[in-house]
Amino acid sequence: METNKVSRIKLSDFSPDYTDTRSMTRYTSTFHFWNNKLVLPQTVYFRYTNEINEDFFKYKNPFLILNLDNFRVEEIPYRLSKSNFGEYINTPKVLLGHKEANTYILPYYSNQLDIFNLDSHETKSYQLKTNLIPEFTNNFFLNEERLNQSLEQNMSDYLSEPQNLGILVDPYRNLFYRMTWPGTGVPEGVSSMKFVATPSHFILSVYDENFELKYEFELPEYEYIPHQYFVSEAGLHLFGNHPDHPDSKEDQILIHTFDFSD
């Protein structure tokens, strides 16, 4: 594993055609192009946690297909179910990743990864192992007091729960990356509203082609931006420009490249 490659780019050097953001987004729910179709991520809305049950999932789909041959929306048969969430069903929001005909689905609060094939419509499920991610709970969503609390307090409680932040598929090394907030809460004296946008750090879990845990790290605090990363032939790229790092510069992008090849 190589982790010693660092690139520093000035924003003034960027031209409009320079950036390729196909693998990079704040929450890694990008559009995916396959077989002249677009996979479109959907936001599933709900009002109360008790609405989320098996009947709820029957009519909700985390993504749709736009056929570019006829510009019709195709609804696919994939549905979430209670098995995606285990004992705790608290929000139907999911993270999406893609590799050719496969769509990877991971809920915010779960270790179950589903892989749905867009051609065969078959689904395979895996339980992702971890040594560092705390157990997912339902404490925040079951707390009825949150309806009467300030937004600042609710965000503080929300950040006291572990949560998956993002996933990436590495087609060059047949690896799968998972980024998870460990639920360590907001530091004293820090605004939770500011902190929720750029948490201090995250856990990086690396899985092999069989989705066995290969590496896992809790990254240094205030080093990397938890929602910005991408994959290329060179490896996994993390943005080392956390806004609260003392050496962060607004006119530069610092990229660290990690190669997790054997």
Side-chain angles (χ1 to χ4, degrees), residues 23-38:
S23 300
M24 181 183 69
T25 177
R26 182 175 179 185
Y27 296 108
T28 68
S29 292
T30 55
F31 291 178
H32 177 55
F33 181 75
W34 173 253
N35 198 21
N36 210 34
K37 296 179 181 181
L38 283 178

Side-chain angles (χ1 to χ4, degrees), residues 141-187:
F141 294 92
L142 290 178
N143 180 18
E144 296 182 357
E145 292 299 321
R146 67 189 177 92
L147 300 176
N148 300 314
Q149 291 181 161
S150 67
L151 187 56
E152 182 78 24
Q153 182 60 50
N154 279 334
M155 286 295 97
S156 179
D157 293 346
Y158 174 77
L159 290 164
S160 297
E161 302 281 345
Q163 176 187 154
N164 292 314
L165 296 176
I167 58 176
L168 280 177
V169 182
D170 187 340
Y172 308 101
R173 293 162 184 77
N174 291 322
L175 297 176
F176 179 80
Y177 307 116
R178 175 190 190 186
M179 294 75 171
T180 307
W181 166 244
T184 47
V186 182

Side-chain angles (χ1 to χ4, degrees), residues 84-115:
N84 292 98
F85 304 90
E87 183 179 353
Y88 307 106
I89 298 180
N90 44 42
T91 173
K93 294 181 179 179
V94 300
L95 299 160
L96 297 181
H98 306 281
K99 179 184 177 183
E100 298 178 341
N102 288 327
T103 293
Y104 298 70
I105 305 110
L106 182 69
Y108 280 24
Y109 299 89
S110 178
N111 289 312
Q112 179 168 315
L113 173 72
D114 282 359
I115 302 179

Side-chain angles (χ1 to χ4, degrees), residues 30-215:
T30 55
F31 291 178
H32 177 55
F33 181 75
W34 173 253
N35 198 21
N36 210 34
K37 296 179 181 181
L38 283 178
V39 182
L40 306 174
Q42 304 295 299
T43 300
V44 179
Y45 294 100
F46 66 101
R47 294 178 62 192
Y48 304 107
T49 305
N50 59 17
E51 297 176 3
I52 307 172
N53 51 40
E54 293 290 0
D55 286 336
F56 177 90
F57 290 129
K58 289 179 182 177
Y59 305 101
K60 306 294 182 181
N61 199 310
F63 55 94
L64 298 173
I65 307 296
L66 176 62
N67 190 323
L68 298 180
D69 290 329
N70 54 25
F71 294 99
R72 293 175 181 258
V73 174
E74 301 175 357
E75 187 173 355
I76 48 86
Y78 177 82
R79 293 291 185 276
L80 293 165
S81 69
K82 190 177 185 300
S83 67
N84 292 98
F85 304 90
E87 183 179 353
Y88 307 106
I89 298 180
N90 44 42
T91 173
K93 294 181 179 179
V94 300
L95 299 160
L96 297 181
H98 306 281
K99 179 184 177 183
E100 298 178 341
N102 288 327
T103 293
Y104 298 70
I105 305 110
L106 182 69
Y108 280 24
Y109 299 89
S110 178
N111 289 312
Q112 179 168 315
L113 173 72
D114 282 359
I115 302 179
F116 176 79
N117 188 278
L118 299 171
D119 293 335
S120 67
H121 288 182
E122 293 179 348
T123 302
K124 295 182 179 180
S125 298
Y126 300 86
Q127 290 295 324
L128 299 179
K129 302 298 183 182
T130 175
N131 296 321
L132 297 178
I133 300 170
E135 181 181 355
F136 294 104
T137 75
N138 210 19
N139 296 336
F140 171 74
F141 294 92
L142 290 178
N143 180 18
E144 296 182 357
E145 292 299 321
R146 67 189 177 92
L147 300 176
N148 300 314
Q149 291 181 161
S150 67
L151 187 56
E152 182 78 24
Q153 182 60 50
N154 279 334
M155 286 295 97
S156 179
D157 293 346
Y158 174 77
L159 290 164
S160 297
E161 302 281 345
Q163 176 187 154
N164 292 314
L165 296 176
I167 58 176
L168 280 177
V169 182
D170 187 340
Y172 308 101
R173 293 162 184 77
N174 291 322
L175 297 176
F176 179 80
Y177 307 116
R178 175 190 190 186
M179 294 75 171
T180 307
W181 166 244
T184 47
V186 182
E188 187 175 355
V190 176
S191 167
S192 60
M193 295 301 295
K194 175 180 180 293
F195 194 82
V196 73
T198 52
S200 57
H201 63 294
F202 58 94
I203 294 170
L204 171 63
S205 308
V206 182
Y207 300 89
D208 64 18
E209 58 186 354
N210 298 312
F211 300 97
E212 295 293 333
L213 185 64
K214 187 173 182 179
Y215 301 108

Side-chain angles (χ1 to χ4, degrees), residues 1-40:
M1 177 182 67
E2 296 182 8
T3 60
N4 59 346
K5 298 178 182 177
V6 178
S7 301
R8 189 180 298 272
I9 304 170
K10 285 188 177 182
L11 293 182
S12 58
D13 294 335
F14 275 62
S15 67
D17 297 327
Y18 183 85
T19 54
D20 182 351
T21 59
R22 289 175 296 174
S23 300
M24 181 183 69
T25 177
R26 182 175 179 185
Y27 296 108
T28 68
S29 292
T30 55
F31 291 178
H32 177 55
F33 181 75
W34 173 253
N35 198 21
N36 210 34
K37 296 179 181 181
L38 283 178
V39 182
L40 306 174

